[in-house]
Every structure is written in C-alpha cells, then in structure tokens.
Amino acid sequence: AQSVTQPDIHITVSEGASLELRCNYSYGATPYLFWYVQSPGQGLQLLLKYFSGDTLVQGIKGFEAEFKRSQSSFNLRKPSVHWSDAAEYFCAVGASSGTYKYIFGTGTRLKVLA
Amino acid sequence: NAGVTQTPKFRVLKTGQSMTLLCAQDMNHEYMYWYRQDPGMGLRLIHYSVGEGTTAKGEVPDGYNVSRLKKQNFLLGLESAAPSQTSVYFCACGRVQETQYFGPGTRLLVL
C-alpha cells in the first residue's frame, strides 16, 4: 500500500538558515511526488513536483527537492529561509497509473525565528 | 478565472443536522476530490470523481455522500452530522499525474 511519512511534526529554524524537510514514501512503482505548502487559514499551493527525469527539481519560492529512489525519499530544501516561509508543508505521493488519488503525509509545521 | 471555490467558508451544525458543501471549478478539469484535514493527520480523501456523473469512495467515505451532476460542480453531503465530522474540508481538481488545485476550505463545527 502507498504511504507517506514526514517524520518531523515541527521544525524551527532561524531566518537565513538552511532548511531540509524530510519525506519518505512507500510505493511499488515509480511514484509522482509533490510538495505542497499551506499558509494559516489557506488552501494548499503546489511548490514542486517530480514525475521523471532529473532527480533534482526546482520549485517556486526558491525551494528544491531531490528524489532518491534508493532511499525512497523526496526531501525538500531551501538554502536560506525567509520569515514568510513559516507554514505547514505536505509531501504527497500519486500513483503512476491505475488509481486517481494522492496520499498525503501528515505535514511538517515550520516556524521561522527572526 | 476564480479557480476552485467552496461554499460555505464556515458552518456550525448540531448533531443530526444535514448540510451540503459545494465545490465549483472553472478550470475544466475532469477529476475532482473532497478531502478532510484534521490536526496531525494530514489530508485524507473522502470521495472523488473522474468525470461528470461518476463518483468513487476514498479513504474515509463513511457518513458522506457526493454528487457530480455537472462537470464544474462537486457536492459533498452530510446526511446526519456527527461531532467526529468536525474538520476542515478541502475540494480539489486536477489529475494526479499533473497538479491538483485546491479550494480555500470549509471549516465545519458539529456540536
């Protein structure tokens, strides 16, 4: 069965520091992988996605993620965090064929210290 | 171009009451989804639709019904609300193989 694990419930970083949010997935075939961000009281916005090809993908707002098949991971990174990045981040896996739905991780809430 | 809209934004129900949440999209997507979001549990799929007139169960369908009579609308119904259905409900459209676009959410409190 598909599953997504985000092991960090909360992360706190200082503004300007680097950031890495972890995501591990379980899926038998090549998955579609996504990172979404949710600001307080808002819906989800797509940061980036991986379908195939280059395993390092660039997204909006200066974020990037690297797909590592051997580790079943798709970690999100940003070299320098801004206060406006404080939000909740969700990793999601989509089936590559057959089913039509995502499986979301439980989310990581990011706090940024000034 | 409004994208995905949800009505209402917030609602308080008493146990046993019924209500319908409306999702509307102007993006011409075939696929539409209803999720619920609860603290520490991420988003869980309630029901989804792959086209007008079709619906299917997701991960947590019990206590909910849906209808997709028009391509642009996806309705989520609660026939007899329970406190366990207190949640934030999100509608989305778009294919898994591409991107899902989310509405702003509906906050539901069941007393």
PDB file of all heavy atoms in Angstrom, chain B residues 3-5 8 14-15 20-22 29 32 35 40 42 44 61 71 73-74 77 83 87-88 91 102 106 110:
ATOM      1  N   GLY B   3     -10.783  29.804 -10.360  1.00  0.00           N
ATOM      2  CA  GLY B   3     -10.108  28.581  -9.935  1.00  0.00           C
ATOM      3  C   GLY B   3     -11.089  27.644  -9.265  1.00  0.00           C
ATOM      4  O   GLY B   3     -12.063  27.208  -9.866  1.00  0.00           O
ATOM      5  N   VAL B   4     -10.830  27.349  -7.989  1.00  0.00           N
ATOM      6  CA  VAL B   4     -11.678  26.456  -7.212  1.00  0.00           C
ATOM      7  C   VAL B   4     -12.286  27.246  -6.056  1.00  0.00           C
ATOM      8  O   VAL B   4     -11.555  27.863  -5.287  1.00  0.00           O
ATOM      9  CB  VAL B   4     -10.874  25.268  -6.653  1.00  0.00           C
ATOM     10  CG1 VAL B   4     -11.800  24.323  -5.882  1.00  0.00           C
ATOM     11  CG2 VAL B   4     -10.168  24.527  -7.777  1.00  0.00           C
ATOM     12  N   THR B   5     -13.601  27.241  -5.988  1.00  0.00           N
ATOM     13  CA  THR B   5     -14.282  27.939  -4.900  1.00  0.00           C
ATOM     14  C   THR B   5     -15.097  26.958  -4.077  1.00  0.00           C
ATOM     15  O   THR B   5     -15.556  25.929  -4.592  1.00  0.00           O
ATOM     16  CB  THR B   5     -15.210  29.049  -5.429  1.00  0.00           C
ATOM     17  OG1 THR B   5     -16.172  28.456  -6.322  1.00  0.00           O
ATOM     18  CG2 THR B   5     -14.418  30.109  -6.181  1.00  0.00           C
ATOM     19  N   PRO B   8     -20.141  26.731   2.012  1.00  0.00           N
ATOM     20  CA  PRO B   8     -19.758  27.988   2.654  1.00  0.00           C
ATOM     21  C   PRO B   8     -18.314  27.968   3.133  1.00  0.00           C
ATOM     22  O   PRO B   8     -17.637  26.960   2.990  1.00  0.00           O
ATOM     23  CB  PRO B   8     -20.716  28.038   3.848  1.00  0.00           C
ATOM     24  CG  PRO B   8     -20.842  26.590   4.246  1.00  0.00           C
ATOM     25  CD  PRO B   8     -20.843  25.823   2.936  1.00  0.00           C
ATOM     26  N   LYS B  14     -25.595  21.293  14.416  1.00  0.00           N
ATOM     27  CA  LYS B  14     -25.891  20.467  15.568  1.00  0.00           C
ATOM     28  C   LYS B  14     -25.878  19.007  15.127  1.00  0.00           C
ATOM     29  O   LYS B  14     -26.162  18.675  13.963  1.00  0.00           O
ATOM     30  CB  LYS B  14     -27.242  20.830  16.143  1.00  0.00           C
ATOM     31  CG  LYS B  14     -27.308  22.243  16.718  1.00  0.00           C
ATOM     32  CD  LYS B  14     -28.678  22.530  17.297  1.00  0.00           C
ATOM     33  CE  LYS B  14     -28.729  23.942  17.874  1.00  0.00           C
ATOM     34  NZ  LYS B  14     -30.085  24.273  18.419  1.00  0.00           N
ATOM     35  N   THR B  15     -25.544  18.134  16.065  1.00  0.00           N
ATOM     36  CA  THR B  15     -25.542  16.706  15.761  1.00  0.00           C
ATOM     37  C   THR B  15     -26.881  16.283  15.165  1.00  0.00           C
ATOM     38  O   THR B  15     -27.942  16.651  15.683  1.00  0.00           O
ATOM     39  CB  THR B  15     -25.266  15.894  17.042  1.00  0.00           C
ATOM     40  OG1 THR B  15     -23.949  16.222  17.511  1.00  0.00           O
ATOM     41  CG2 THR B  15     -25.337  14.412  16.779  1.00  0.00           C
ATOM     42  N   THR B  20     -24.927  20.468   2.851  1.00  0.00           N
ATOM     43  CA  THR B  20     -24.212  20.194   1.613  1.00  0.00           C
ATOM     44  C   THR B  20     -23.136  21.240   1.410  1.00  0.00           C
ATOM     45  O   THR B  20     -23.387  22.436   1.539  1.00  0.00           O
ATOM     46  CB  THR B  20     -25.164  20.212   0.404  1.00  0.00           C
ATOM     47  OG1 THR B  20     -26.170  19.205   0.578  1.00  0.00           O
ATOM     48  CG2 THR B  20     -24.396  19.932  -0.878  1.00  0.00           C
ATOM     49  N   LEU B  21     -21.934  20.766   1.121  1.00  0.00           N
ATOM     50  CA  LEU B  21     -20.825  21.639   0.778  1.00  0.00           C
ATOM     51  C   LEU B  21     -20.704  21.647  -0.740  1.00  0.00           C
ATOM     52  O   LEU B  21     -20.722  20.595  -1.384  1.00  0.00           O
ATOM     53  CB  LEU B  21     -19.515  21.147   1.393  1.00  0.00           C
ATOM     54  CG  LEU B  21     -19.279  21.378   2.876  1.00  0.00           C
ATOM     55  CD1 LEU B  21     -20.217  20.524   3.725  1.00  0.00           C
ATOM     56  CD2 LEU B  21     -17.834  21.076   3.229  1.00  0.00           C
ATOM     57  N   LEU B  22     -20.524  22.850  -1.277  1.00  0.00           N
ATOM     58  CA  LEU B  22     -20.438  22.985  -2.728  1.00  0.00           C
ATOM     59  C   LEU B  22     -19.021  23.341  -3.133  1.00  0.00           C
ATOM     60  O   LEU B  22     -18.406  24.224  -2.555  1.00  0.00           O
ATOM     61  CB  LEU B  22     -21.396  24.071  -3.215  1.00  0.00           C
ATOM     62  CG  LEU B  22     -21.243  24.477  -4.694  1.00  0.00           C
ATOM     63  CD1 LEU B  22     -21.567  23.302  -5.607  1.00  0.00           C
ATOM     64  CD2 LEU B  22     -22.122  25.678  -5.008  1.00  0.00           C
ATOM     65  N   HIS B  29     -11.511  20.790 -15.407  1.00  0.00           N
ATOM     66  CA  HIS B  29     -10.892  19.508 -15.074  1.00  0.00           C
ATOM     67  C   HIS B  29     -11.937  18.415 -14.926  1.00  0.00           C
ATOM     68  O   HIS B  29     -13.025  18.639 -14.396  1.00  0.00           O
ATOM     69  CB  HIS B  29     -10.108  19.622 -13.767  1.00  0.00           C
ATOM     70  CG  HIS B  29      -8.778  20.274 -13.939  1.00  0.00           C
ATOM     71  ND1 HIS B  29      -7.758  19.717 -14.673  1.00  0.00           N
ATOM     72  CD2 HIS B  29      -8.305  21.444 -13.464  1.00  0.00           C
ATOM     73  CE1 HIS B  29      -6.716  20.520 -14.645  1.00  0.00           C
ATOM     74  NE2 HIS B  29      -7.019  21.570 -13.927  1.00  0.00           N
ATOM     75  N   MET B  32     -12.172  15.590  -9.753  1.00  0.00           N
ATOM     76  CA  MET B  32     -12.415  16.413  -8.582  1.00  0.00           C
ATOM     77  C   MET B  32     -12.383  15.550  -7.332  1.00  0.00           C
ATOM     78  O   MET B  32     -12.695  14.348  -7.383  1.00  0.00           O
ATOM     79  CB  MET B  32     -13.748  17.161  -8.694  1.00  0.00           C
ATOM     80  CG  MET B  32     -13.787  18.153  -9.855  1.00  0.00           C
ATOM     81  SD  MET B  32     -15.267  19.168  -9.872  1.00  0.00           S
ATOM     82  CE  MET B  32     -14.935  20.305  -8.499  1.00  0.00           C
ATOM     83  N   TYR B  35     -11.426  16.270   0.356  1.00  0.00           N
ATOM     84  CA  TYR B  35     -10.553  15.845   1.435  1.00  0.00           C
ATOM     85  C   TYR B  35     -11.058  16.449   2.746  1.00  0.00           C
ATOM     86  O   TYR B  35     -11.691  17.490   2.773  1.00  0.00           O
ATOM     87  CB  TYR B  35      -9.131  16.370   1.236  1.00  0.00           C
ATOM     88  CG  TYR B  35      -8.392  15.850   0.036  1.00  0.00           C
ATOM     89  CD1 TYR B  35      -8.437  16.536  -1.178  1.00  0.00           C
ATOM     90  CD2 TYR B  35      -7.607  14.701   0.120  1.00  0.00           C
ATOM     91  CE1 TYR B  35      -7.736  16.072  -2.279  1.00  0.00           C
ATOM     92  CE2 TYR B  35      -6.902  14.241  -0.974  1.00  0.00           C
ATOM     93  CZ  TYR B  35      -6.972  14.930  -2.166  1.00  0.00           C
ATOM     94  OH  TYR B  35      -6.267  14.472  -3.258  1.00  0.00           O
ATOM     95  N   GLY B  40      -2.651  16.760  12.768  1.00  0.00           N
ATOM     96  CA  GLY B  40      -1.784  15.602  12.900  1.00  0.00           C
ATOM     97  C   GLY B  40      -2.094  14.452  11.962  1.00  0.00           C
ATOM     98  O   GLY B  40      -1.444  13.410  12.029  1.00  0.00           O
ATOM     99  N   GLY B  42      -2.886  15.102   8.414  1.00  0.00           N
ATOM    100  CA  GLY B  42      -2.749  15.484   7.021  1.00  0.00           C
ATOM    101  C   GLY B  42      -4.106  15.568   6.341  1.00  0.00           C
ATOM    102  O   GLY B  42      -5.133  15.797   6.986  1.00  0.00           O
ATOM    103  N   ARG B  44      -6.979  13.615   4.161  1.00  0.00           N
ATOM    104  CA  ARG B  44      -7.479  12.283   3.841  1.00  0.00           C
ATOM    105  C   ARG B  44      -8.610  12.394   2.827  1.00  0.00           C
ATOM    106  O   ARG B  44      -9.505  13.224   2.962  1.00  0.00           O
ATOM    107  CB  ARG B  44      -7.947  11.575   5.109  1.00  0.00           C
ATOM    108  CG  ARG B  44      -6.824  11.246   6.087  1.00  0.00           C
ATOM    109  CD  ARG B  44      -7.346  10.552   7.313  1.00  0.00           C
ATOM    110  NE  ARG B  44      -8.171  11.437   8.114  1.00  0.00           N
ATOM    111  CZ  ARG B  44      -8.947  11.036   9.117  1.00  0.00           C
ATOM    112  NH1 ARG B  44      -8.995   9.755   9.441  1.00  0.00           N
ATOM    113  NH2 ARG B  44      -9.666  11.904   9.811  1.00  0.00           N
ATOM    114  N   PRO B  61     -14.830   7.453   3.539  1.00  0.00           N
ATOM    115  CA  PRO B  61     -16.111   7.857   2.950  1.00  0.00           C
ATOM    116  C   PRO B  61     -17.328   7.780   3.863  1.00  0.00           C
ATOM    117  O   PRO B  61     -18.367   8.362   3.550  1.00  0.00           O
ATOM    118  CB  PRO B  61     -16.272   6.847   1.811  1.00  0.00           C
ATOM    119  CG  PRO B  61     -15.604   5.607   2.338  1.00  0.00           C
ATOM    120  CD  PRO B  61     -14.437   6.093   3.152  1.00  0.00           C
ATOM    121  N   LYS B  71     -20.077  18.956 -14.644  1.00  0.00           N
ATOM    122  CA  LYS B  71     -18.618  18.825 -14.639  1.00  0.00           C
ATOM    123  C   LYS B  71     -17.966  19.820 -13.696  1.00  0.00           C
ATOM    124  O   LYS B  71     -16.978  19.497 -13.039  1.00  0.00           O
ATOM    125  CB  LYS B  71     -18.093  19.053 -16.062  1.00  0.00           C
ATOM    126  CG  LYS B  71     -16.593  18.874 -16.200  1.00  0.00           C
ATOM    127  CD  LYS B  71     -16.178  19.069 -17.635  1.00  0.00           C
ATOM    128  CE  LYS B  71     -14.690  18.844 -17.807  1.00  0.00           C
ATOM    129  NZ  LYS B  71     -14.279  18.984 -19.219  1.00  0.00           N
ATOM    130  N   ASN B  73     -19.122  21.180 -10.932  1.00  0.00           N
ATOM    131  CA  ASN B  73     -19.534  21.172  -9.524  1.00  0.00           C
ATOM    132  C   ASN B  73     -19.375  19.789  -8.910  1.00  0.00           C
ATOM    133  O   ASN B  73     -19.688  18.757  -9.530  1.00  0.00           O
ATOM    134  CB  ASN B  73     -21.005  21.589  -9.386  1.00  0.00           C
ATOM    135  CG  ASN B  73     -21.248  23.022  -9.792  1.00  0.00           C
ATOM    136  OD1 ASN B  73     -20.332  23.836  -9.792  1.00  0.00           O
ATOM    137  ND2 ASN B  73     -22.484  23.334 -10.143  1.00  0.00           N
ATOM    138  N   PHE B  74     -18.963  19.775  -7.651  1.00  0.00           N
ATOM    139  CA  PHE B  74     -18.824  18.528  -6.900  1.00  0.00           C
ATOM    140  C   PHE B  74     -19.372  18.791  -5.503  1.00  0.00           C
ATOM    141  O   PHE B  74     -18.834  19.621  -4.775  1.00  0.00           O
ATOM    142  CB  PHE B  74     -17.361  18.109  -6.850  1.00  0.00           C
ATOM    143  CG  PHE B  74     -17.108  16.693  -6.430  1.00  0.00           C
ATOM    144  CD1 PHE B  74     -18.045  15.691  -6.631  1.00  0.00           C
ATOM    145  CD2 PHE B  74     -15.904  16.334  -5.837  1.00  0.00           C
ATOM    146  CE1 PHE B  74     -17.797  14.375  -6.265  1.00  0.00           C
ATOM    147  CE2 PHE B  74     -15.636  15.025  -5.478  1.00  0.00           C
ATOM    148  CZ  PHE B  74     -16.580  14.054  -5.688  1.00  0.00           C
ATOM    149  N   GLY B  77     -22.161  15.859   0.748  1.00  0.00           N
ATOM    150  CA  GLY B  77     -23.295  15.907   1.659  1.00  0.00           C
ATOM    151  C   GLY B  77     -23.034  15.161   2.958  1.00  0.00           C
ATOM    152  O   GLY B  77     -22.378  14.118   2.959  1.00  0.00           O
ATOM    153  N   PRO B  83     -20.212  14.823  15.695  1.00  0.00           N
ATOM    154  CA  PRO B  83     -19.050  15.613  16.144  1.00  0.00           C
ATOM    155  C   PRO B  83     -17.741  15.159  15.505  1.00  0.00           C
ATOM    156  O   PRO B  83     -16.834  15.987  15.305  1.00  0.00           O
ATOM    157  CB  PRO B  83     -19.054  15.392  17.651  1.00  0.00           C
ATOM    158  CG  PRO B  83     -20.495  15.161  17.981  1.00  0.00           C
ATOM    159  CD  PRO B  83     -21.044  14.381  16.828  1.00  0.00           C
ATOM    160  N   SER B  87     -14.187  19.320  11.125  1.00  0.00           N
ATOM    161  CA  SER B  87     -12.958  19.257  10.350  1.00  0.00           C
ATOM    162  C   SER B  87     -12.897  20.459   9.419  1.00  0.00           C
ATOM    163  O   SER B  87     -13.814  21.287   9.380  1.00  0.00           O
ATOM    164  CB  SER B  87     -12.927  17.952   9.531  1.00  0.00           C
ATOM    165  OG  SER B  87     -11.674  17.762   8.908  1.00  0.00           O
ATOM    166  N   VAL B  88     -11.810  20.528   8.682  1.00  0.00           N
ATOM    167  CA  VAL B  88     -11.712  21.468   7.568  1.00  0.00           C
ATOM    168  C   VAL B  88     -11.773  20.649   6.291  1.00  0.00           C
ATOM    169  O   VAL B  88     -11.018  19.683   6.128  1.00  0.00           O
ATOM    170  CB  VAL B  88     -10.412  22.287   7.613  1.00  0.00           C
ATOM    171  CG1 VAL B  88     -10.376  23.266   6.448  1.00  0.00           C
ATOM    172  CG2 VAL B  88     -10.282  23.028   8.941  1.00  0.00           C
ATOM    173  N   CYS B  91     -11.742  20.959  -1.225  1.00  0.00           N
ATOM    174  CA  CYS B  91     -12.041  20.440  -2.542  1.00  0.00           C
ATOM    175  C   CYS B  91     -10.826  20.676  -3.424  1.00  0.00           C
ATOM    176  O   CYS B  91     -10.085  21.659  -3.233  1.00  0.00           O
ATOM    177  CB  CYS B  91     -13.263  21.164  -3.110  1.00  0.00           C
ATOM    178  SG  CYS B  91     -13.690  20.719  -4.794  1.00  0.00           S
ATOM    179  N   PHE B 102      -6.351  23.393  -5.198  1.00  0.00           N
ATOM    180  CA  PHE B 102      -7.192  23.309  -4.015  1.00  0.00           C
ATOM    181  C   PHE B 102      -8.029  24.565  -3.815  1.00  0.00           C
ATOM    182  O   PHE B 102      -7.586  25.682  -4.104  1.00  0.00           O
ATOM    183  CB  PHE B 102      -6.328  23.091  -2.770  1.00  0.00           C
ATOM    184  CG  PHE B 102      -5.783  21.695  -2.678  1.00  0.00           C
ATOM    185  CD1 PHE B 102      -4.655  21.325  -3.378  1.00  0.00           C
ATOM    186  CD2 PHE B 102      -6.418  20.748  -1.882  1.00  0.00           C
ATOM    187  CE1 PHE B 102      -4.164  20.031  -3.293  1.00  0.00           C
ATOM    188  CE2 PHE B 102      -5.927  19.458  -1.793  1.00  0.00           C
ATOM    189  CZ  PHE B 102      -4.800  19.095  -2.505  1.00  0.00           C
ATOM    190  N   THR B 106     -13.489  24.721   3.787  1.00  0.00           N
ATOM    191  CA  THR B 106     -14.702  24.987   4.564  1.00  0.00           C
ATOM    192  C   THR B 106     -14.476  24.445   5.962  1.00  0.00           C
ATOM    193  O   THR B 106     -14.161  23.271   6.138  1.00  0.00           O
ATOM    194  CB  THR B 106     -15.929  24.284   3.957  1.00  0.00           C
ATOM    195  OG1 THR B 106     -16.236  24.844   2.687  1.00  0.00           O
ATOM    196  CG2 THR B 106     -17.141  24.428   4.880  1.00  0.00           C
ATOM    197  N   VAL B 110     -19.286  20.641  14.337  1.00  0.00           N
ATOM    198  CA  VAL B 110     -20.504  19.914  14.678  1.00  0.00           C
ATOM    199  C   VAL B 110     -20.589  19.800  16.195  1.00  0.00           C
ATOM    200  O   VAL B 110     -19.706  19.210  16.833  1.00  0.00           O
ATOM    201  CB  VAL B 110     -20.534  18.516  14.037  1.00  0.00           C
ATOM    202  CG1 VAL B 110     -21.855  17.812  14.371  1.00  0.00           C
ATOM    203  CG2 VAL B 110     -20.350  18.614  12.534  1.00  0.00           C
TER     204      VAL B 110
END
